[in-house]
Amino acid sequence: MLLRSLYIPCLIVVLLVSCSKDDTGNSDTYVPTPLALEVPQLFEERILAPVIPFNNPQTVEGVALGKKLFFDTLLSADNTQSCASCHAPANSFSDSDQFSVGIDGVSGNRNSMPLFNLAFNYDEKFFWDGRVFSLEHQALEPVENPIEMHNTWDNAVAALQNTEEYPELFSEAFGTSDINKELVTKAIAQFERTLISGNSKFDRHLLGTATLTSEELSGFNIFMDETKGDCFHCHGNVNNPLWTDNIFHNNGLDATFSDLGLGEVSGDPADNGKFKSPSLRNLAFTAPYMHDGRFNTLDEVINHYSEGLQNSLTIDPLMKKVDEGGVHLTTQEKSDLKAFLLTLSDHEFIANPDFQN
């Protein structure tokens, strides 16, 4: 990993804050410590810099606070559930259950999205349906969602404010001991931006420090072949190590839709059945798959694209063989494609002590 200093203007903000004076003319003592994200070499070479909001620069104190909040059950109404309850480090910050169950024993109809490389989501649209802009706003929803933490922000903030440690931690991170939901979500977003995954076997292969098997190389060629797997349009290539285009697609799961996806958000019928392309990184840890977790295994996912495509009015043009039901891979091709996909999994990421409770 290489350290990259991000956004010089953020450092200027810190300097300005540290040089400001209070009403008595004394210099403030609040000086949060700037923190550069650890950006993988491939990312530095092949994609744009991470997105860091000017009004929420990364700091050591902010990330530490965000990590503590991410794992703290105090945010839920009954103090039993944290962000990590549905976004577990061992599952690449996703949920091994098809649908996460909230504090009232109720679940929704979508699988919990994994959390990594979020700072490189350049359109800043989050959730499967893209209904929220920015990580800071994304973190607002789960606390009040009735099928998740089922709390109010007033209650959550009061619970944090009434502890001995949180007012001091907020003071260290943001210069104030008066807690509010905006600062809570800023801290969580800072922590989430540090969740960077970029050390898979395939990453090391591209850097010349790992060798792929013949099956894995064959699988990569199938992935890139428009007449075979034809996966790269939505899920990237060697020049897009995020392994997603972060765009919304109807990938032929259904002929009709009970969940409209992006269409529910945009109100445009042409968006019905479209969901955000997930990254193919860390597939070894993120089952079940698809927005509704309908597939338990990678074999089922590959079979869907091979012979299970369903046509509909909003089917993505990239599903070029939908009229044939799919791309019809052989048994060996399926096996090779799976072998390649598993090379995108980053075992170091899920074991990183910086990301554990």
Side-chain angles (χ1 to χ4, degrees), residues 127-202:
F127 292 111
W128 284 107
D129 56 14
R131 65 184 180 273
V132 170
F133 180 83
S134 88
L135 267 181
E136 284 75 8
H137 289 103
Q138 182 277 328
L140 285 170
E141 280 212 6
V143 169
E144 293 190 318
N145 192 311
I147 61 173
E148 295 185 58
M149 295 181 179
H150 203 179
N151 204 355
T152 68
W153 269 109
D154 285 344
N155 288 342
V157 166
L160 297 172
Q161 193 77 62
N162 288 333
T163 64
E164 291 186 8
E165 53 186 342
Y166 273 115
E168 178 61 26
L169 293 174
F170 274 87
S171 182
E172 292 173 358
F174 297 110
T176 177
S177 60
D178 293 328
I179 302 172
N180 59 50
K181 65 182 181 180
E182 287 77 19
L183 294 181
V184 172
T185 57
K186 278 187 174 183
I188 292 174
Q190 283 191 45
F191 170 63
E192 290 180 333
R193 289 190 175 98
T194 69
L195 303 178
I196 296 175
S197 174
N199 190 32
S200 68
K201 182 179 181 180
F202 196 80

Side-chain angles (χ1 to χ4, degrees), residues 24 26 38 131 146 208 213 250 256 261 272 341:
T24 65
N26 297 319
E38 294 187 0
R131 65 184 180 273
T213 67
N250 171 358
T256 59
N272 289 350
L341 291 174

Side-chain angles (χ1 to χ4, degrees), residues 88-129:
N91 302 117
S92 195
F93 292 89
S94 65
D95 194 337
S96 58
D97 290 336
Q98 181 178 13
F99 305 126
S100 299
V101 178
I103 66 168
D104 300 321
V106 179
S107 64
N109 62 349
R110 293 181 185 167
N111 185 243
S112 179
M113 295 195 81
L115 304 179
F116 56 83
N117 296 340
L118 301 172
F120 303 92
N121 182 1
Y122 301 116
D123 71 356
E124 283 274 81
K125 292 178 181 177
F126 294 92
F127 292 111
W128 284 107
D129 56 14

Side-chain angles (χ1 to χ4, degrees), residues 28-322:
D28 291 337
T29 57
Y30 166 51
V31 184
T33 310
L35 179 68
L37 291 180
E38 294 187 0
V39 179
Q41 181 179 338
L42 279 178
F43 290 20
E44 288 193 320
E45 294 175 352
R46 306 188 186 205
I47 59 177
L48 298 175
V51 177
I52 310 293
F54 185 79
N55 66 348
N56 192 24
Q58 298 289 117
T59 68
V60 171
E61 296 81 4
V63 170
L65 172 59
K67 177 181 176 180
K68 182 174 179 60
L69 290 165
F70 188 89
F71 288 99
D72 201 329
T73 59
L74 203 57
L75 292 177
S76 64
D78 64 356
N79 298 337
T80 64
Q81 201 165 69
S82 68
C83 303
S85 298
C86 303
H87 298 281
N91 302 117
S92 195
F93 292 89
S94 65
D95 194 337
S96 58
D97 290 336
Q98 181 178 13
F99 305 126
S100 299
V101 178
I103 66 168
D104 300 321
V106 179
S107 64
N109 62 349
R110 293 181 185 167
N111 185 243
S112 179
M113 295 195 81
L115 304 179
F116 56 83
N117 296 340
L118 301 172
F120 303 92
N121 182 1
Y122 301 116
D123 71 356
E124 283 274 81
K125 292 178 181 177
F126 294 92
F127 292 111
W128 284 107
D129 56 14
R131 65 184 180 273
V132 170
F133 180 83
S134 88
L135 267 181
E136 284 75 8
H137 289 103
Q138 182 277 328
L140 285 170
E141 280 212 6
V143 169
E144 293 190 318
N145 192 311
I147 61 173
E148 295 185 58
M149 295 181 179
H150 203 179
N151 204 355
T152 68
W153 269 109
D154 285 344
N155 288 342
V157 166
L160 297 172
Q161 193 77 62
N162 288 333
T163 64
E164 291 186 8
E165 53 186 342
Y166 273 115
E168 178 61 26
L169 293 174
F170 274 87
S171 182
E172 292 173 358
F174 297 110
T176 177
S177 60
D178 293 328
I179 302 172
N180 59 50
K181 65 182 181 180
E182 287 77 19
L183 294 181
V184 172
T185 57
K186 278 187 174 183
I188 292 174
Q190 283 191 45
F191 170 63
E192 290 180 333
R193 289 190 175 98
T194 69
L195 303 178
I196 296 175
S197 174
N199 190 32
S200 68
K201 182 179 181 180
F202 196 80
D203 295 320
R204 296 192 298 275
H205 163 73
L206 293 177
L207 293 171
T209 60
T211 301
L212 299 187
T213 67
S214 58
E215 291 80 7
E216 291 164 348
L217 282 170
S218 172
F220 173 66
N221 291 331
I222 292 166
F223 181 94
M224 294 297 299
D225 190 331
E226 291 200 54
T227 65
K228 293 290 186 178
D230 196 18
C231 314
F232 67 94
H233 292 290
C234 300
H235 289 293
N237 52 51
V238 295
N239 293 314
N240 173 13
L242 299 177
W243 298 103
T244 175
D245 61 4
N246 278 318
I247 295 176
F248 301 83
H249 299 279
N250 171 358
N251 63 337
L253 288 172
D254 299 296
T256 59
F257 315 112
S258 57
D259 185 344
L260 297 183
L262 180 63
E264 184 71 29
V265 176
S266 69
D268 185 349
D271 290 332
N272 289 350
K274 294 182 180 180
F275 296 90
K276 195 177 190 74
S277 294
S279 174
L280 298 184
R281 280 189 176 272
N282 298 328
L283 292 175
F285 320 120
T286 58
Y289 307 103
M290 301 297 171
H291 69 277
D292 55 6
R294 68 177 65 188
F295 298 136
N296 290 315
T297 67
L298 278 180
D299 300 285
E300 291 177 87
V301 173
I302 292 170
N303 286 339
H304 163 69
Y305 290 108
S306 180
E307 54 260 353
L309 294 182
Q310 300 291 310
N311 209 344
S312 66
L313 292 176
T314 61
I315 189 73
D316 198 288
L318 293 171
M319 302 293 108
K320 296 187 287 289
K321 294 191 177 182
V322 64

Side-chain angles (χ1 to χ4, degrees), residues 321-340:
K321 294 191 177 182
V322 64
D323 289 339
E324 302 170 40
V327 295
H328 293 284
L329 300 176
T330 67
T331 300
Q332 186 61 55
E333 288 169 338
K334 290 178 182 181
S335 178
D336 291 352
L337 179 58
K338 179 181 177 181
F340 160 68

